């Protein structure tokens, strides 16, 4: 019986991750073709063993080689990682004080604050990103407000710039930073800060020597939770970033839907996965260590 | 303390107190947790704060440590007025009831924490930490994290950490609350030893009156934010200044009546035509309501009428067997039940009295104390 239950997650992983991954991997080593599906070779059981041999022989890595030849791709990867890293930093800067304030709030307020953090998830992600267009556009709410209040006279160009992408990513993934940081701050016994002060710390050094190290597991977890999805982000750069923002998610989308070059798109996806495996493995290791401690 | 019989700076008008608490009040809203409290504590004292839950013990400690500011009154530690002095600027360390060990630091780093904040030289820190580890007998545990040691060991780490900076004053808020009886007693003696070795002044909060009696040079009994009595353990026990203190400390029989004749001893008329005598505990006026306070161990129990000044006859209602002692509950025909504890010199099977026996209980005319109600 127990074996059945442990088999379930593996079956899940197999059907929903390994099988699609296998398919994508296969397409990435195929060749572009003007047909349906838009790649060759396709697997044909009727041809028997010779068919299998011919099929395997037709596979090659030329799509991956292509990715190295056009500098669009490595630039897109690099800029994605950069944008994700900067966004993660910004999400930490914005999220840590929020999580800290939540952990300090009285028990009466805490559920309400928690609710507010989770509330955005109740609306479609897409609608929320569209809402940002309304806010950031030249005639959007933000510019209207700034002009009305006299801070600026000309509207700021925010939409279709990297700034808008940062705003969008930080806004979208902020709860993933706040929640783990809050969880680790909430676990902290407030007497620890008093003990630190009692032993000679100022408020600031008590924060640095006690609060920060104890919040670090949450900060690390939150950073991974923001960074990993942000690298492959597609919707935000394409809706808010315009043509000026290069991100691999957008490149992938264009290869797939505009160029209909499934093999190259698949190769892009495989490389993206390889890039993300490093932080994912690090994240898993970190979580395992936290659980052991 | 038995080995410091000569130590009584509170009786010496010339002695300078380490802590002066002058008419301090602490209000939370309109509730007074500490109410106009005045107290001097002297260097090298082991001072115990005793009182029921919520009487303000922790609040008083937190004011000494600097975590709460008094709403009124003044606090002077070592000649320095503490108003506005932050916790990290006081030569006071506190051992927290919850220990408050830093979970991310090893035992060694926990103890070194305060020393590092003082920017002490590295070798000096190492020496001091090792010295502290030896003191609390945790030499082998320096590299462990707090969650990797036992509750009793954690408590000793907390003690070592609060002692490491050699504070003038160490505050211990129910330090032994989490320990079992045996470990608790061992640690009490360890604490006393450490206190003698280091010469630090200790203020300890405890719920356990036996603990206070064991360790303290003086005991303060508190009630609702006020001090009721501050005295040496033996005087708190033998000369309580009120029924509240007598009742709070140890087991006691309370017999209510009216003050009769006053002389060397006091007569207490407690039932129709019956009286008892005891020593006067404070000023009494004839005819006023008063209570005779008598400890169970000062009462003798006998089958034949004894000759002592106070003797009453009753029937054994209940016998409590505690191993070393037996407590007899003797119901008097007049109403009260008198508890009388007797050392078990012979085995249980050879006990002299049993349930429903008619017996005499008696005590001398100086054994009891008559206190105004
Ligand atoms: N921050 C606070 N706000 C409001 N009331 C408080 C606060 N701190 C303490 N009190 C109240 O002050 C009183 C004294 O509290 P304190 O913690 O000093 O009691 P205590 O003698 O240490 O009790 P215990 O033996 O249970 O630890 C209590 O009635 C408590 O409810
Ligand atoms: Mg308390």
């Amino acid at each position: 019986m127990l074996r059945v239950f442990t088999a379930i997650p593996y079956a899940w992983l197999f059907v929903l991750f390994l099988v699609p991954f296998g398919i994508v991997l296969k397409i990435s080593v195929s060749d572009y073709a003007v047909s349906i599906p838009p790649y060759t070779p396709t697997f044909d059981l009727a041809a028997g063993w010779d068919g299998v041999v011919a099929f395997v022989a037709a596979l090659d890595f030329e799509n991956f080689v292509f990715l190295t030849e056009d500098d669009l791709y490595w630039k897109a990867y690099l800029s994605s990682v950069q944008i994700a890293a900067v966004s993660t930093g910004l999400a930490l800067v914005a999220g840590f004080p929020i999580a800290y304030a939540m952990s300090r709030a009285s028990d009466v307020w805490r559920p309400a604050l928690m609710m507010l953090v989770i509330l955005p998830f109740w609306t479609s992600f897409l609608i929320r990103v569209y809402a940002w267009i309304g806010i950031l556009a030249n005639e959007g709410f933000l510019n209207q407000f700034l002009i009305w209040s006299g801070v600026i006279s000309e509207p700021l160009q925010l939409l279709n710039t990297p700034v808008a992408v940062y705003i969008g990513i930080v806004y979208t993934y902020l709860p993933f930073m706040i929640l783990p940081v809050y969880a680790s701050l909430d676990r902290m016994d407030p007497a620890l800060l008093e003990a630190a002060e009692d032993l000679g710390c100022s408020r600031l050094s008590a924060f640095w020597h006690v609060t920060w190290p104890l919040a670090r597991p949450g900060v690390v977890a939150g950073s991974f939770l923001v960074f990993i999805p942000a690298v492959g982000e597609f919707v935000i750069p394409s809706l808010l970033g315009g043509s000026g923002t290069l991100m691999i998610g957008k490149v992938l989308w264009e290869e797939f839907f505009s160029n209909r070059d499934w093999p190259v798109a698949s190769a892009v996806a495989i490389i993206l996965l390889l890039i993300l495996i490093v932080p994912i493995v690090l994240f898993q290791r970190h979580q395992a260590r936290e659980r052991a401690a | 303390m038995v080995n410091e019989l000569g130590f009584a700076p509170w009786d010496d008008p010339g002695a300078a107190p380490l802590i002066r608490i002058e008419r301090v009040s602490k209000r939370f809203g309109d509730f007074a947790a500490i109410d106009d409290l005045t107290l001097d504590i002297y260097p090298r004292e082991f001072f115990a704060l005793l009182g029921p839950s919520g009487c303000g013990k922790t609040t008083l400690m937190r004011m000494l440590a600097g975590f709460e500011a008094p709403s009124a009154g003044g606090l002077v530690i070592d000649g320095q007025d503490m108003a506005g002095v932050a916790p990290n600027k006081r030569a006071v360390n506190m051992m927290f009831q919850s220990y408050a060990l830093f979970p991310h630091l090893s035992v060694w780093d926990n103890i070194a924490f305060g020393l590092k904040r003082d920017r002490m030289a590295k070798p000096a820190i190492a020496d001091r930490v090792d010295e502290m580890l030896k003191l609390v007998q945790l030499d082998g545990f320096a590299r462990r994290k707090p969650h990797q040691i036992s509750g009793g060991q954690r408590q000793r780490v907390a003690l070592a950490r609060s002692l490491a900076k050699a504070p003038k004053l160490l505050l211990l808020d129910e330090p032994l609350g989490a320990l079992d009886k045996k470990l608790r007693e061992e640690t009490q003696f360890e604490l006393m030893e450490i206190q003698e070795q280091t010469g630090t002044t200790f203020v300890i909060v405890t719920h356990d009156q036996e603990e206070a009696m064991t360790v303290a040079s003086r005991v303060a009994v508190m009630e609702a934010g006020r001090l009721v009595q501050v005295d040496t353990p033996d005087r708190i026990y033998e000369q309580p200044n009120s029924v509240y203190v007598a009742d709070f400390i140890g087991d006691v029989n309370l017999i209510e009546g009216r003050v009769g004749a006053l002389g060397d001893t006091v007569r207490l008329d407690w039932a129709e035509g019956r009286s008892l005598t005891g020593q006067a505990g404070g000023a009494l006026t004839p005819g006023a309501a008063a209570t005779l306070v008598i400890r169970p161990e000062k009462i003798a129990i006998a089958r034949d009428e004894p000759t002592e000044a106070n003797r009453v006859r009753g029937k054994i209602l209940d016998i409590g067997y505690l191993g070393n002692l037996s407590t007899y509950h003797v119901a008097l025909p007049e109403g009260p039940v008198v508890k009388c504890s007797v050392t078990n010199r012979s085995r249980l099977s050879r006990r002299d009295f049993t349930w429903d026996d008619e017996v005499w209980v008696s005590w001398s005319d100086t054994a009891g104390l008559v206190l105004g109600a």
Side-chain angles (χ1 to χ4, degrees), chain B residues 135-156:
Chain B
L135 187 70
V136 296
Q137 299 166 24
L138 283 174
D139 312 59
F141 297 87
R143 290 285 139 229
R144 302 254 193 115
K145 289 277 178 69
H147 69 269
Q148 294 165 322
I149 56 179
S150 77
Q153 290 164 340
R154 274 202 280 275
Q155 180 254 317
R156 281 183 280 165

Side-chain angles (χ1 to χ4, degrees), chain A residues 34-146:
Chain A
V34 188
S35 63
I36 294 175
Y39 52 85
T40 60
T42 47
F43 196 63
D44 186 7
L45 262 185
W49 179 246
D50 292 339
V52 174
V53 172
F55 173 77
V56 172
L59 301 178
D60 54 50
F61 288 98
E62 82 191 357
N63 296 315
F64 291 93
V65 175
F66 173 70
L67 294 190
T68 62
E69 286 164 353
D70 190 335
D71 62 3
L72 166 80
Y73 297 102
W74 69 262
K75 277 183 180 158
Y77 283 119
L78 193 66
S79 123
S80 296
V81 168
Q82 239 167 28
I83 290 174
V86 172
S87 303
T88 304
L90 292 174
L92 178 60
V93 170
F96 194 96
I98 297 175
Y100 188 82
M102 277 170 68
S103 72
R104 284 301 124 102
S106 77
D107 291 344
V108 186
W109 280 102
R110 244 186 260 193
L113 293 172
M114 177 69 91
M115 197 66 212
L116 287 176
V117 171
I118 307 174
L119 202 62
F121 290 121
W122 288 17
T123 344
S124 151
F125 163 62
L126 224 65
I127 289 176
R128 287 182 286 132
V129 177
Y130 272 113
W132 275 105
I133 297 180
I135 297 171
L136 298 175
N138 281 5
E139 59 288 348
F141 294 123
L142 184 61
N143 274 316
Q144 280 181 16
F145 174 76
L146 290 177

Side-chain angles (χ1 to χ4, degrees), chain A residues 192 194 197-199 201 209, chain B residues 62 93-94 104 117 165:
Chain A
L192 292 180
E194 291 189 341
E197 280 187 61
D198 189 60
L199 292 166
C201 280
H209 288 289
Chain B
R62 290 174 58 80
N93 283 133
M94 180 147 166
H104 59 296
R117 300 292 88 76
K165 293 182 78 169

Side-chain angles (χ1 to χ4, degrees), chain B residues 189-201:
Chain B
F189 284 102
E190 236 171 77
L191 276 180
M192 289 161 70
E193 204 143 283
I194 289 169
Q195 198 258 354
E196 258 160 62
Q197 279 178 33
T198 59
T200 308
T201 306

Side-chain angles (χ1 to χ4, degrees), chain A residues 184-261:
Chain A
S184 57
L185 284 174
D186 191 47
R187 263 202 306 269
M188 195 180 112
D189 178 2
L192 292 180
L193 288 179
E194 291 189 341
E197 280 187 61
D198 189 60
L199 292 166
C201 280
S202 63
R203 288 271 164 86
L204 195 68
S205 72
F207 177 87
W208 179 244
H209 288 289
V210 178
T211 310
W212 178 252
L214 288 174
R216 202 156 41 204
V219 169
V220 172
S223 298
F224 280 121
L225 289 177
V226 174
F227 179 80
I228 292 169
V231 171
E233 184 54 55
F234 154 69
V235 174
I236 296 169
S238 67
L239 289 183
L240 302 180
S243 54
T245 317
L246 193 57
M247 280 193 83
I248 198 67
K250 223 167 76 180
V251 170
L252 182 60
W253 194 89
E254 274 157 14
E255 287 299 346
F256 218 97
F257 293 100
S258 308
N259 294 352
R260 277 185 60 79
D261 191 340

Side-chain angles (χ1 to χ4, degrees), chain B residues 30 67 107 201 262-263 281 317:
Chain B
D30 51 7
F67 300 128
V107 166
T201 306
L262 288 168
L317 192 67

